Amino acid sequence: MKGDLLAILGAVLLGLDDVLSEIIVTDYGGVNEMLFMKGFFGTIISIVQLIIFELDSVSSLFGTSESSSCETSRRMTLFSVHVLTRALDVAGEMQFLYLSEAALLNLSLLTSDLYAALFDVVSVGLELIPYYYLAFCLIFTGIVLYESGPSPVESPITAPVDIEIRQIHKSASVFSATTEHAGTLMNLGAELT
């Protein structure tokens, strides 16, 4: 029961992270600012968690022990590749959020389990239960339905604040320029129709 609650909490926090990332990327800065903030604060939080919870595991990873199954160079290579791919993953998610919405990102991330399941079927010979196929069909249907409708975050059409209108006086061949506010022009357009 505790594991289920922690899994639900993790899923809620992941969704919240994607939604807040989308808001920050689209409204308060951009991709570079978000990448810096995630990298900076993520590093600080990870170091604090590492010191509190996993100091023994890290010392055994970087230490030399006779009973380990792989060499230190191999451990460092695996660690470096993990850090690099995680950084590329976060950068890709930020670029995706710049172009699309968090809901589509979360639906698309759910399809990544397909590749893990295919690997298990091909390499291990694991047989998938029917609920997996049902879940995958529901995810795929969700993506299709989401993409078939209009975007919920389409930006409204913005009218210019001030528009200069040149009027020709019929009595004289002189141009006079007046400045109208966009709201006045919109009301004027509504009256004319």
Side-chain angles (χ1 to χ4, degrees), residues 3-19 102 106 109-110:
D4 292 339
L5 292 176
L6 289 175
I8 291 171
L9 179 66
V12 168
L13 290 176
L14 176 67
L16 183 66
D17 173 61
D18 290 340
V19 169
N106 287 326
L109 289 177
L110 287 173

